[in-house]
PDB file of all heavy atoms in Angstrom:
ATOM      1  N   PHE A   1     114.799  23.490 139.670  1.00  0.00           N
ATOM      2  CA  PHE A   1     114.177  23.340 138.364  1.00  0.00           C
ATOM      3  C   PHE A   1     113.915  24.627 137.644  1.00  0.00           C
ATOM      4  O   PHE A   1     113.725  24.613 136.441  1.00  0.00           O
ATOM      5  CB  PHE A   1     112.831  22.604 138.506  1.00  0.00           C
ATOM      6  CG  PHE A   1     112.931  21.273 139.174  1.00  0.00           C
ATOM      7  CD1 PHE A   1     112.620  21.107 140.532  1.00  0.00           C
ATOM      8  CD2 PHE A   1     113.398  20.187 138.484  1.00  0.00           C
ATOM      9  CE1 PHE A   1     112.742  19.902 141.134  1.00  0.00           C
ATOM     10  CE2 PHE A   1     113.518  18.939 139.120  1.00  0.00           C
ATOM     11  CZ  PHE A   1     113.233  18.816 140.448  1.00  0.00           C
ATOM     12  N   LEU A   2     113.914  25.722 138.332  1.00  0.00           N
ATOM     13  CA  LEU A   2     113.634  26.998 137.720  1.00  0.00           C
ATOM     14  C   LEU A   2     114.758  27.977 138.000  1.00  0.00           C
ATOM     15  O   LEU A   2     115.393  27.874 139.003  1.00  0.00           O
ATOM     16  CB  LEU A   2     112.317  27.596 138.238  1.00  0.00           C
ATOM     17  CG  LEU A   2     111.044  26.724 138.059  1.00  0.00           C
ATOM     18  CD1 LEU A   2     109.856  27.364 138.753  1.00  0.00           C
ATOM     19  CD2 LEU A   2     110.764  26.525 136.581  1.00  0.00           C
ATOM     20  N   GLN A   3     114.943  28.883 137.082  1.00  0.00           N
ATOM     21  CA  GLN A   3     115.925  29.930 137.331  1.00  0.00           C
ATOM     22  C   GLN A   3     115.357  30.980 138.202  1.00  0.00           C
ATOM     23  O   GLN A   3     114.320  31.573 137.904  1.00  0.00           O
ATOM     24  CB  GLN A   3     116.332  30.577 136.000  1.00  0.00           C
ATOM     25  CG  GLN A   3     117.462  31.572 136.143  1.00  0.00           C
ATOM     26  CD  GLN A   3     117.902  32.134 134.818  1.00  0.00           C
ATOM     27  OE1 GLN A   3     117.346  31.747 133.819  1.00  0.00           O
ATOM     28  NE2 GLN A   3     118.863  33.029 134.849  1.00  0.00           N
ATOM     29  N   LYS A   4     116.021  31.229 139.311  1.00  0.00           N
ATOM     30  CA  LYS A   4     115.486  32.152 140.304  1.00  0.00           C
ATOM     31  C   LYS A   4     115.578  33.564 139.740  1.00  0.00           C
ATOM     32  O   LYS A   4     116.594  33.970 139.223  1.00  0.00           O
ATOM     33  CB  LYS A   4     116.260  32.050 141.617  1.00  0.00           C
ATOM     34  CG  LYS A   4     115.648  32.883 142.727  1.00  0.00           C
ATOM     35  CD  LYS A   4     116.415  32.729 144.026  1.00  0.00           C
ATOM     36  CE  LYS A   4     116.270  31.301 144.533  1.00  0.00           C
ATOM     37  NZ  LYS A   4     116.909  31.174 145.911  1.00  0.00           N
ATOM     38  N   SER A   5     114.495  34.266 139.929  1.00  0.00           N
ATOM     39  CA  SER A   5     114.455  35.650 139.404  1.00  0.00           C
ATOM     40  C   SER A   5     115.340  36.515 140.324  1.00  0.00           C
ATOM     41  O   SER A   5     115.314  36.374 141.557  1.00  0.00           O
ATOM     42  CB  SER A   5     113.024  36.193 139.397  1.00  0.00           C
ATOM     43  OG  SER A   5     112.970  37.521 139.125  1.00  0.00           O
ATOM     44  N   PRO A   6     116.075  37.494 139.741  1.00  0.00           N
ATOM     45  CA  PRO A   6     116.886  38.385 140.569  1.00  0.00           C
ATOM     46  C   PRO A   6     116.066  39.455 141.298  1.00  0.00           C
ATOM     47  O   PRO A   6     116.556  40.202 142.127  1.00  0.00           O
ATOM     48  CB  PRO A   6     117.791  39.063 139.549  1.00  0.00           C
ATOM     49  CG  PRO A   6     117.005  39.056 138.286  1.00  0.00           C
ATOM     50  CD  PRO A   6     116.255  37.759 138.301  1.00  0.00           C
ATOM     51  N   PHE A   7     114.721  39.515 140.937  1.00  0.00           N
ATOM     52  CA  PHE A   7     113.890  40.547 141.557  1.00  0.00           C
ATOM     53  C   PHE A   7     113.007  39.887 142.651  1.00  0.00           C
ATOM     54  O   PHE A   7     112.611  38.737 142.507  1.00  0.00           O
ATOM     55  CB  PHE A   7     112.993  41.180 140.498  1.00  0.00           C
ATOM     56  CG  PHE A   7     113.797  41.746 139.383  1.00  0.00           C
ATOM     57  CD1 PHE A   7     113.869  41.082 138.150  1.00  0.00           C
ATOM     58  CD2 PHE A   7     114.458  42.921 139.496  1.00  0.00           C
ATOM     59  CE1 PHE A   7     114.586  41.597 137.106  1.00  0.00           C
ATOM     60  CE2 PHE A   7     115.151  43.443 138.451  1.00  0.00           C
ATOM     61  CZ  PHE A   7     115.255  42.811 137.239  1.00  0.00           C
ATOM     62  N   PRO A   8     112.727  40.641 143.649  1.00  0.00           N
ATOM     63  CA  PRO A   8     111.766  40.091 144.684  1.00  0.00           C
ATOM     64  C   PRO A   8     110.437  39.834 144.075  1.00  0.00           C
ATOM     65  O   PRO A   8     110.000  40.495 143.181  1.00  0.00           O
ATOM     66  CB  PRO A   8     111.778  41.210 145.740  1.00  0.00           C
ATOM     67  CG  PRO A   8     112.127  42.436 145.005  1.00  0.00           C
ATOM     68  CD  PRO A   8     113.102  41.993 143.930  1.00  0.00           C
ATOM     69  N   THR A   9     109.791  38.796 144.614  1.00  0.00           N
ATOM     70  CA  THR A   9     108.492  38.382 144.138  1.00  0.00           C
ATOM     71  C   THR A   9     107.451  39.415 144.432  1.00  0.00           C
ATOM     72  O   THR A   9     107.296  39.828 145.601  1.00  0.00           O
ATOM     73  CB  THR A   9     108.051  37.028 144.773  1.00  0.00           C
ATOM     74  OG1 THR A   9     109.060  36.111 144.484  1.00  0.00           O
ATOM     75  CG2 THR A   9     106.702  36.555 144.158  1.00  0.00           C
ATOM     76  N   LYS A  10     106.806  39.969 143.426  1.00  0.00           N
ATOM     77  CA  LYS A  10     105.761  40.901 143.553  1.00  0.00           C
ATOM     78  C   LYS A  10     104.525  40.381 142.874  1.00  0.00           C
ATOM     79  O   LYS A  10     104.592  39.785 141.831  1.00  0.00           O
ATOM     80  CB  LYS A  10     106.142  42.274 142.917  1.00  0.00           C
ATOM     81  CG  LYS A  10     107.419  42.872 143.481  1.00  0.00           C
ATOM     82  CD  LYS A  10     107.178  43.388 144.925  1.00  0.00           C
ATOM     83  CE  LYS A  10     108.419  44.088 145.430  1.00  0.00           C
ATOM     84  NZ  LYS A  10     108.211  44.626 146.812  1.00  0.00           N
ATOM     85  N   ARG A  11     103.356  40.676 143.517  1.00  0.00           N
ATOM     86  CA  ARG A  11     102.114  40.246 142.917  1.00  0.00           C
ATOM     87  C   ARG A  11     101.458  41.421 142.196  1.00  0.00           C
ATOM     88  O   ARG A  11     101.696  42.590 142.509  1.00  0.00           O
ATOM     89  CB  ARG A  11     101.173  39.729 144.012  1.00  0.00           C
ATOM     90  CG  ARG A  11     101.645  38.424 144.635  1.00  0.00           C
ATOM     91  CD  ARG A  11     100.576  37.915 145.558  1.00  0.00           C
ATOM     92  NE  ARG A  11     100.985  36.667 146.119  1.00  0.00           N
ATOM     93  CZ  ARG A  11     100.310  35.943 146.982  1.00  0.00           C
ATOM     94  NH1 ARG A  11      99.135  36.372 147.400  1.00  0.00           N
ATOM     95  NH2 ARG A  11     100.780  34.763 147.467  1.00  0.00           N
ATOM     96  N   GLY A  12     100.709  41.119 141.224  1.00  0.00           N
ATOM     97  CA  GLY A  12     100.003  42.136 140.439  1.00  0.00           C
ATOM     98  C   GLY A  12     100.663  42.422 139.120  1.00  0.00           C
ATOM     99  O   GLY A  12     101.823  42.333 138.954  1.00  0.00           O
ATOM    100  N   SER A  13      99.825  42.661 138.093  1.00  0.00           N
ATOM    101  CA  SER A  13     100.373  42.848 136.706  1.00  0.00           C
ATOM    102  C   SER A  13     101.190  44.128 136.621  1.00  0.00           C
ATOM    103  O   SER A  13     102.146  44.191 135.859  1.00  0.00           O
ATOM    104  CB  SER A  13      99.158  42.938 135.718  1.00  0.00           C
ATOM    105  OG  SER A  13      98.264  43.964 136.156  1.00  0.00           O
ATOM    106  N   ALA A  14     100.879  45.164 137.367  1.00  0.00           N
ATOM    107  CA  ALA A  14     101.691  46.404 137.352  1.00  0.00           C
ATOM    108  C   ALA A  14     103.067  46.180 137.845  1.00  0.00           C
ATOM    109  O   ALA A  14     104.027  46.694 137.216  1.00  0.00           O
ATOM    110  CB  ALA A  14     101.017  47.473 138.196  1.00  0.00           C
ATOM    111  N   ARG A  15     103.289  45.397 138.882  1.00  0.00           N
ATOM    112  CA  ARG A  15     104.644  45.136 139.324  1.00  0.00           C
ATOM    113  C   ARG A  15     105.429  44.320 138.378  1.00  0.00           C
ATOM    114  O   ARG A  15     106.655  44.485 138.190  1.00  0.00           O
ATOM    115  CB  ARG A  15     104.585  44.434 140.694  1.00  0.00           C
ATOM    116  CG  ARG A  15     103.798  45.221 141.759  1.00  0.00           C
ATOM    117  CD  ARG A  15     104.430  46.592 142.008  1.00  0.00           C
ATOM    118  NE  ARG A  15     105.806  46.457 142.432  1.00  0.00           N
ATOM    119  CZ  ARG A  15     106.660  47.470 142.573  1.00  0.00           C
ATOM    120  NH1 ARG A  15     106.228  48.690 142.260  1.00  0.00           N
ATOM    121  NH2 ARG A  15     107.892  47.311 142.919  1.00  0.00           N
ATOM    122  N   LEU A  16     104.757  43.327 137.709  1.00  0.00           N
ATOM    123  CA  LEU A  16     105.468  42.545 136.701  1.00  0.00           C
ATOM    124  C   LEU A  16     105.918  43.368 135.483  1.00  0.00           C
ATOM    125  O   LEU A  16     107.046  43.199 135.014  1.00  0.00           O
ATOM    126  CB  LEU A  16     104.529  41.404 136.209  1.00  0.00           C
ATOM    127  CG  LEU A  16     104.173  40.309 137.241  1.00  0.00           C
ATOM    128  CD1 LEU A  16     103.153  39.349 136.659  1.00  0.00           C
ATOM    129  CD2 LEU A  16     105.421  39.541 137.647  1.00  0.00           C
ATOM    130  N   LEU A  17     105.118  44.327 135.082  1.00  0.00           N
ATOM    131  CA  LEU A  17     105.478  45.202 133.988  1.00  0.00           C
ATOM    132  C   LEU A  17     106.673  46.068 134.393  1.00  0.00           C
ATOM    133  O   LEU A  17     107.587  46.255 133.600  1.00  0.00           O
ATOM    134  CB  LEU A  17     104.287  46.056 133.569  1.00  0.00           C
ATOM    135  CG  LEU A  17     104.556  47.083 132.481  1.00  0.00           C
ATOM    136  CD1 LEU A  17     104.963  46.358 131.174  1.00  0.00           C
ATOM    137  CD2 LEU A  17     103.287  47.908 132.231  1.00  0.00           C
ATOM    138  N   GLU A  18     106.678  46.540 135.649  1.00  0.00           N
ATOM    139  CA  GLU A  18     107.790  47.373 136.098  1.00  0.00           C
ATOM    140  C   GLU A  18     109.103  46.600 136.137  1.00  0.00           C
ATOM    141  O   GLU A  18     110.137  47.115 135.692  1.00  0.00           O
ATOM    142  CB  GLU A  18     107.429  47.921 137.505  1.00  0.00           C
ATOM    143  CG  GLU A  18     108.541  48.785 138.103  1.00  0.00           C
ATOM    144  CD  GLU A  18     108.205  49.231 139.539  1.00  0.00           C
ATOM    145  OE1 GLU A  18     107.053  48.907 139.970  1.00  0.00           O
ATOM    146  OE2 GLU A  18     109.070  49.824 140.152  1.00  0.00           O
ATOM    147  N   GLN A  19     109.022  45.334 136.580  1.00  0.00           N
ATOM    148  CA  GLN A  19     110.226  44.506 136.595  1.00  0.00           C
ATOM    149  C   GLN A  19     110.728  44.259 135.186  1.00  0.00           C
ATOM    150  O   GLN A  19     111.957  44.247 134.901  1.00  0.00           O
ATOM    151  CB  GLN A  19     109.892  43.188 137.312  1.00  0.00           C
ATOM    152  CG  GLN A  19     109.558  43.352 138.798  1.00  0.00           C
ATOM    153  CD  GLN A  19     109.146  42.013 139.449  1.00  0.00           C
ATOM    154  OE1 GLN A  19     109.195  40.998 138.763  1.00  0.00           O
ATOM    155  NE2 GLN A  19     108.645  42.102 140.649  1.00  0.00           N
ATOM    156  N   TRP A  20     109.821  44.052 134.232  1.00  0.00           N
ATOM    157  CA  TRP A  20     110.276  43.682 132.869  1.00  0.00           C
ATOM    158  C   TRP A  20     110.942  44.970 132.240  1.00  0.00           C
ATOM    159  O   TRP A  20     111.944  44.822 131.568  1.00  0.00           O
ATOM    160  CB  TRP A  20     109.009  43.299 132.033  1.00  0.00           C
ATOM    161  CG  TRP A  20     109.368  43.010 130.614  1.00  0.00           C
ATOM    162  CD1 TRP A  20     109.831  41.863 130.111  1.00  0.00           C
ATOM    163  CD2 TRP A  20     109.222  43.872 129.503  1.00  0.00           C
ATOM    164  NE1 TRP A  20     110.018  41.910 128.775  1.00  0.00           N
ATOM    165  CE2 TRP A  20     109.633  43.195 128.348  1.00  0.00           C
ATOM    166  CE3 TRP A  20     108.768  45.228 129.335  1.00  0.00           C
ATOM    167  CZ2 TRP A  20     109.601  43.744 127.091  1.00  0.00           C
ATOM    168  CZ3 TRP A  20     108.750  45.731 128.098  1.00  0.00           C
ATOM    169  CH2 TRP A  20     109.163  45.031 126.975  1.00  0.00           C
ATOM    170  N   LEU A  21     110.415  46.164 132.506  1.00  0.00           N
ATOM    171  CA  LEU A  21     111.014  47.350 131.961  1.00  0.00           C
ATOM    172  C   LEU A  21     112.415  47.588 132.501  1.00  0.00           C
ATOM    173  O   LEU A  21     113.337  48.008 131.793  1.00  0.00           O
ATOM    174  CB  LEU A  21     110.138  48.562 132.255  1.00  0.00           C
ATOM    175  CG  LEU A  21     108.749  48.635 131.492  1.00  0.00           C
ATOM    176  CD1 LEU A  21     107.927  49.755 131.945  1.00  0.00           C
ATOM    177  CD2 LEU A  21     109.051  48.677 129.982  1.00  0.00           C
ATOM    178  N   LYS A  22     112.636  47.332 133.828  1.00  0.00           N
ATOM    179  CA  LYS A  22     113.921  47.511 134.398  1.00  0.00           C
ATOM    180  C   LYS A  22     114.917  46.565 133.796  1.00  0.00           C
ATOM    181  O   LYS A  22     116.093  46.831 133.545  1.00  0.00           O
ATOM    182  CB  LYS A  22     113.861  47.284 135.901  1.00  0.00           C
ATOM    183  CG  LYS A  22     113.184  48.439 136.608  1.00  0.00           C
ATOM    184  CD  LYS A  22     113.184  48.190 138.150  1.00  0.00           C
ATOM    185  CE  LYS A  22     112.483  49.325 138.873  1.00  0.00           C
ATOM    186  NZ  LYS A  22     112.502  49.080 140.358  1.00  0.00           N
ATOM    187  N   LYS A  23     114.518  45.334 133.556  1.00  0.00           N
ATOM    188  CA  LYS A  23     115.373  44.325 132.950  1.00  0.00           C
ATOM    189  C   LYS A  23     115.779  44.700 131.557  1.00  0.00           C
ATOM    190  O   LYS A  23     116.934  44.531 131.136  1.00  0.00           O
ATOM    191  CB  LYS A  23     114.661  42.970 132.954  1.00  0.00           C
ATOM    192  CG  LYS A  23     115.559  41.821 132.531  1.00  0.00           C
ATOM    193  CD  LYS A  23     114.810  40.515 132.650  1.00  0.00           C
ATOM    194  CE  LYS A  23     115.712  39.364 132.181  1.00  0.00           C
ATOM    195  NZ  LYS A  23     115.008  38.025 132.199  1.00  0.00           N
ATOM    196  N   GLU A  24     114.829  45.211 130.770  1.00  0.00           N
ATOM    197  CA  GLU A  24     115.124  45.653 129.388  1.00  0.00           C
ATOM    198  C   GLU A  24     116.149  46.786 129.410  1.00  0.00           C
ATOM    199  O   GLU A  24     117.001  46.909 128.531  1.00  0.00           O
ATOM    200  CB  GLU A  24     113.827  46.069 128.688  1.00  0.00           C
ATOM    201  CG  GLU A  24     112.915  44.911 128.349  1.00  0.00           C
ATOM    202  CD  GLU A  24     113.533  44.050 127.270  1.00  0.00           C
ATOM    203  OE1 GLU A  24     114.122  44.602 126.334  1.00  0.00           O
ATOM    204  OE2 GLU A  24     113.389  42.780 127.370  1.00  0.00           O
ATOM    205  N   LYS A  25     115.987  47.673 130.369  1.00  0.00           N
ATOM    206  CA  LYS A  25     116.885  48.820 130.407  1.00  0.00           C
ATOM    207  C   LYS A  25     118.314  48.424 130.733  1.00  0.00           C
ATOM    208  O   LYS A  25     119.275  48.933 130.167  1.00  0.00           O
ATOM    209  CB  LYS A  25     116.382  49.832 131.476  1.00  0.00           C
ATOM    210  CG  LYS A  25     117.177  51.136 131.505  1.00  0.00           C
ATOM    211  CD  LYS A  25     116.559  52.077 132.492  1.00  0.00           C
ATOM    212  CE  LYS A  25     117.348  53.413 132.472  1.00  0.00           C
ATOM    213  NZ  LYS A  25     116.784  54.358 133.457  1.00  0.00           N
ATOM    214  N   GLN A  26     118.510  47.403 131.549  1.00  0.00           N
ATOM    215  CA  GLN A  26     119.827  46.921 131.907  1.00  0.00           C
ATOM    216  C   GLN A  26     120.487  46.194 130.736  1.00  0.00           C
ATOM    217  O   GLN A  26     121.697  46.232 130.547  1.00  0.00           O
ATOM    218  CB  GLN A  26     119.753  45.944 133.070  1.00  0.00           C
ATOM    219  CG  GLN A  26     119.358  46.622 134.394  1.00  0.00           C
ATOM    220  CD  GLN A  26     119.170  45.631 135.525  1.00  0.00           C
ATOM    221  OE1 GLN A  26     119.324  44.428 135.299  1.00  0.00           O
ATOM    222  NE2 GLN A  26     118.838  46.128 136.724  1.00  0.00           N
ATOM    223  N   GLU A  27     119.710  45.566 129.828  1.00  0.00           N
ATOM    224  CA  GLU A  27     120.237  44.791 128.755  1.00  0.00           C
ATOM    225  C   GLU A  27     120.347  45.597 127.455  1.00  0.00           C
ATOM    226  O   GLU A  27     120.787  45.155 126.423  1.00  0.00           O
ATOM    227  CB  GLU A  27     119.343  43.565 128.484  1.00  0.00           C
ATOM    228  CG  GLU A  27     119.388  42.592 129.629  1.00  0.00           C
ATOM    229  CD  GLU A  27     118.437  41.412 129.387  1.00  0.00           C
ATOM    230  OE1 GLU A  27     117.718  41.436 128.369  1.00  0.00           O
ATOM    231  OE2 GLU A  27     118.420  40.442 130.186  1.00  0.00           O
ATOM    232  N   GLU A  28     119.992  46.931 127.537  1.00  0.00           N
ATOM    233  CA  GLU A  28     120.051  47.760 126.313  1.00  0.00           C
ATOM    234  C   GLU A  28     121.495  47.973 125.889  1.00  0.00           C
ATOM    235  O   GLU A  28     122.406  48.218 126.732  1.00  0.00           O
ATOM    236  CB  GLU A  28     119.418  49.113 126.642  1.00  0.00           C
ATOM    237  CG  GLU A  28     119.279  50.036 125.485  1.00  0.00           C
ATOM    238  CD  GLU A  28     118.617  51.346 125.876  1.00  0.00           C
ATOM    239  OE1 GLU A  28     118.298  51.480 127.072  1.00  0.00           O
ATOM    240  OE2 GLU A  28     118.405  52.204 125.015  1.00  0.00           O
TER     241      GLU A  28
END
């Protein structure tokens, strides 16, 4: 039902922000 994230599951808001920045860099 959900699209699996390519990144390993990390807890904490700091890790989520880091994953989002890496994804934005790849799609630039």
Side-chain angles (χ1 to χ4, degrees):
F1 302 101
L2 301 175
Q3 184 177 1
K4 187 178 294 186
S5 173
F7 305 102
T9 303
K10 301 288 185 179
R11 291 186 179 182
S13 57
R15 302 302 301 171
L16 292 174
L17 178 61
E18 180 183 353
Q19 294 173 8
W20 181 81
L21 290 175
K22 288 182 179 180
K23 185 177 180 181
E24 287 292 321
K25 187 176 181 180
Q26 293 175 358
E27 296 177 355
E28 186 178 2

